[in-house]
Amino acid sequence: MREILGRRRRLLSQHDDGRPELIEAALTYATRWRWPVLPGVAADPRARSRCGCPDPECTVPGAHPFDPGLLAATTDARMVRWWWANRPAAPIVLATGGSAPCAVSLPALPAARALAALDRAGIRLGPVVASPARWSLLVRPYTMEQLGELLYAKDFVPGSLRFHGEGGYIALPPSETGPGAVRWERAPLPGSSSPWVPDVEAVVDAVVDALTRTGVSAPEL
């Protein structure tokens, strides 16, 4: 236990040259858009495919909260500056739900095909966050009851769809995680005071329909 705690302290206290765009982005999310954020645990610097947290089987390396925990997410500018002054390369983690957007995510290749189908159909989407493995479509906050009713009414829902609601999180651009860089596939409009996001019903309906029509089953990942 002593060894694990010592390793955690070393990893969390490491400083490097930093990336000024990270703190600038974190401050935009927190202070302009009022999205609660916190620093995630970085990937293991010795092997980026592994996480810097003590879990050797971590499935989201470098892309999740660890210390501080998710409940520490804030829109307070002073706290955001302090975090990234001390951990300048930490990924930016959004605490989804509440006053912040939620998200629907699916594997990258089916997501790209689904977005192309939605564009052809003229369906409006909000911001889309892309990592090498998965893309996340931001949606308005929803309750678990809303989500349950929505999914119950569906004849088919791809098993690879994931829902990031209250108590969930996603990494935001321009974070670097274990699988690679996080970027905007569909960026919010420049200067947005609060980016527009669609209802979860519209996104799930459109994505499931697009995946069905294009013959993409989106296997579980």
Side-chain angles (χ1 to χ4, degrees), residues 6-168:
R7 177 170 175 254
R8 179 179 74 176
R9 291 192 185 103
R10 287 195 302 274
L11 287 168
L12 296 182
S13 64
Q14 284 174 341
H15 287 250
D16 54 25
D17 292 336
R19 295 173 53 207
E21 68 272 22
L22 277 170
I23 189 167
E24 291 170 6
L27 284 169
T28 294
Y29 300 142
T31 63
R32 183 185 301 172
W33 297 353
R34 310 304 296 170
W35 293 1
V37 298
L38 74 163
V41 61
D44 190 328
R46 297 166 297 181
R48 292 200 60 82
S49 61
R50 295 202 304 264
C51 192
C53 74
D55 181 4
E57 306 298 326
C58 181
T59 58
V60 283
H64 67 90
F66 174 55
D67 188 358
L70 186 63
L71 292 178
T74 185
T75 58
D76 182 77
R78 291 173 300 176
M79 195 72 240
V80 169
R81 287 193 182 94
W82 186 86
W83 275 333
W84 270 273
N86 286 276
R87 297 165 60 181
I92 304 169
V93 173
L94 167 70
T96 54
S99 61
C102 295
V104 177
S105 72
L106 66 161
L109 180 57
R113 293 177 179 172
L115 259 62
L118 298 181
D119 286 343
R120 290 193 295 271
I123 294 174
R124 184 185 180 191
L125 293 175
V128 178
V129 177
S131 73
R134 298 184 70 86
W135 291 10
S136 299
L137 288 68
L138 300 188
V139 298
R140 290 178 186 167
Y142 57 79
T143 65
M144 291 306 295
E145 290 77 11
Q146 285 177 292
L147 181 61
E149 291 176 3
L150 173 62
L151 299 183
Y152 182 77
K154 292 288 178 192
D155 294 327
F156 166 74
V157 177
S160 61
L161 282 183
R162 295 179 187 166
F163 300 92
H164 309 262
E166 185 77 32

Side-chain angles (χ1 to χ4, degrees), residues 135-215:
W135 291 10
S136 299
L137 288 68
L138 300 188
V139 298
R140 290 178 186 167
Y142 57 79
T143 65
M144 291 306 295
E145 290 77 11
Q146 285 177 292
L147 181 61
E149 291 176 3
L150 173 62
L151 299 183
Y152 182 77
K154 292 288 178 192
D155 294 327
F156 166 74
V157 177
S160 61
L161 282 183
R162 295 179 187 166
F163 300 92
H164 309 262
E166 185 77 32
Y169 60 86
I170 60 170
L172 292 175
S175 301
E176 287 283 344
T177 66
V182 179
R183 61 179 177 82
W184 291 113
E185 174 62 25
R186 302 284 174 89
L189 294 176
S192 298
S193 58
S194 181
W196 179 87
V197 290
D199 290 329
V200 66
E201 292 88 350
V203 166
V204 172
D205 287 346
V207 167
V208 170
D209 182 60
L211 293 176
T212 303
R213 286 189 291 105
T214 56

